Amino acid sequence: MIASLVRAVSSCVALAALSIASIAFAGDVSFGQSQLCGLQTARPDSNAAVQVKTLQGRNGPIGYARFGHGPPLLLITGYRATLGEWNAYFLGELAKHHEVIVFDNRGIGRSTPVAGHYGPDYGMRDMAADAADVLAGLKLARADVIGWSMGGMIAQQLALDAPGHVESLTLIATAPPGPEAVPLTPAVQQVLSSSGADAFPKIMSALFPADAVADASKCFIGDMFAPRGYKGRPVPDAVAQQQNNAMTQWFANTPAADAMRRSPVRTLIIAGANDDILADTNARHLEQMIPRATLDVVAHAGHALMFQYPIELARHIDAFVAK
């Protein structure tokens, strides 16, 4: 949500140990002190060999990066976000045990056709098809899939349309389809769509709990994944509007909600207890909806959990995937 808006700075806070509760996958968990700001641990973009490439999807080019070793993990990012808006330390921790694949959603970053647009209308199903094209283009039959925010909606649609390609599903700070969801408020939507000099502090205040905003504002950009030669382009208004439309349709998609109630995919749902963008009520609806779902609500966490707790969140997901 931020890369196209600002470029900024850095500072530091310590690493917390993985709590016993975080391995239990039951109810509320705590990851301890926020880990915002330039951790002294591996980040994949420090390796010059990690670069963004493109593959050809059914509807145009798709920009992606892959790194690490082990079972594949496909990460799907959120509204107006490029692949650069994953926390680099979160990705580095995941890459210790997995081949990590991140990519730009349709119309974002390197996933932009020469003509500059993908046609008049597309929704979650189309963006899920793009995710499936990434797997096919990299010749991966199956992958564990992680979706954050709007990316969690795309991930759910991918699990519905191609369950044979989804080994497990991890849904971070997202919402179910259908009328039981609690959508973004118009005020929040306006903040996330904002641009200009005052956009960055507004977005930081939406993404993080109040007492984490100062550190986040110092360190968010410096902790973003920044592979050599990759620059996130400004998100066209038409693409942002198309993503808005896709989410509006998602919150009215009763057939998808019915289908999720029959999903065979093992699912971990992770929510922030202080998420002001997509309330943790959404996570509780998801837990009730998906048959093989487990919910963890993270104490003192906002919408951008992977920036607050990059190491602990990655380890928590890795423990789930490995079960």
Side-chain angles (χ1 to χ4, degrees):
M1 298 167 199
I2 317 304
S4 59
L5 301 176
V6 197
R7 308 274 157 211
V9 247
S10 70
S11 174
C12 219
V13 171
L15 178 69
L18 181 65
S19 69
I20 295 173
S22 76
I23 303 177
F25 303 114
D28 298 338
V29 300
S30 174
F31 292 148
Q33 188 178 20
S34 293
Q35 301 157 25
L36 290 153
C37 302
L39 301 173
Q40 300 303 308
T41 187
R43 51 184 294 166
D45 51 4
S46 63
N47 182 351
V50 175
Q51 297 185 357
V52 177
K53 302 178 181 179
T54 59
L55 57 81
Q56 189 62 32
R58 71 195 75 183
N59 288 301
I62 301 174
Y64 74 95
R66 67 193 302 193
F67 44 87
H69 301 282
L73 269 180
L74 180 71
L75 281 73
I76 308 177
T77 193
Y79 174 68
R80 295 185 69 189
T82 70
L83 61 79
E85 272 138 310
W86 290 107
N87 180 281
Y89 302 100
F90 172 70
L91 298 181
E93 188 67 23
L94 290 174
K96 290 180 180 179
H97 304 288
H98 299 276
E99 179 185 31
V100 174
I101 301 115
V102 294
F103 69 98
D104 284 326
N105 287 323
R106 184 180 297 207
I108 303 286
R110 296 275 178 90
S111 295
T112 305
V114 174
H117 62 84
Y118 279 98
D121 293 297
Y122 56 88
M124 295 301 171
R125 174 156 283 168
D126 302 288
M127 290 187 279
D130 295 338
D133 285 349
V134 173
L135 294 178
L138 299 179
K139 296 180 169 49
L140 297 171
R142 291 172 68 82
D144 294 285
V145 176
I146 300 172
W148 172 58
S149 195
M150 187 190 77
M153 303 171 200
I154 299 170
Q156 289 172 69
Q157 188 67 62
L158 177 63
L160 291 178
D161 293 344
H165 295 309
V166 180
E167 189 70 38
S168 73
L169 197 58
T170 298
L171 304 174
I172 305 172
T174 191
E180 291 184 2
V182 181
L184 291 74
T185 67
V188 166
Q189 190 69 58
Q190 185 175 10
V191 167
L192 299 182
S193 301
S194 60
S195 58
D198 62 343
F200 186 68
K202 289 180 181 178
I203 293 172
M204 292 294 99
S205 294
L207 289 177
F208 296 95
D211 61 356
V213 169
D215 280 338
S217 299
K218 295 174 188 174
C219 305
F220 187 93
I221 301 297
D223 288 354
M224 285 167 54
F225 178 55
R228 187 168 300 188
Y230 177 82
K231 292 183 180 179
R233 302 166 183 167
V235 178
D237 290 343
V239 172
Q241 186 57 54
Q242 196 63 57
Q243 292 187 352
N244 280 327
N245 293 344
M247 286 191 287
T248 297
Q249 293 164 11
W250 181 252
F251 296 132
N253 194 337
T254 300
D258 293 340
M260 285 305 295
R261 291 186 175 93
R262 303 187 298 273
S263 172
V265 179
R266 190 170 65 93
T267 303
L268 173 63
I269 303 159
I270 302 174
N274 304 93
D275 190 338
D276 290 334
I277 294 178
L278 287 169
D280 63 1
T281 304
N282 285 300
R284 300 185 193 281
H285 285 317
L286 272 169
E287 181 192 26
Q288 294 166 6
M289 180 179 289
I290 301 173
R292 301 180 65 194
T294 302
L295 168 64
D296 287 323
V297 178
V298 182
H300 189 62
H303 193 67
L305 287 84
M306 76 291 292
F307 279 86
Q308 278 189 270
Y309 306 106
I311 305 302
E312 303 306 331
L313 182 62
R315 290 176 180 173
H316 194 67
I317 293 170
D318 185 47
F320 166 75
V321 169
K323 285 180 72 175

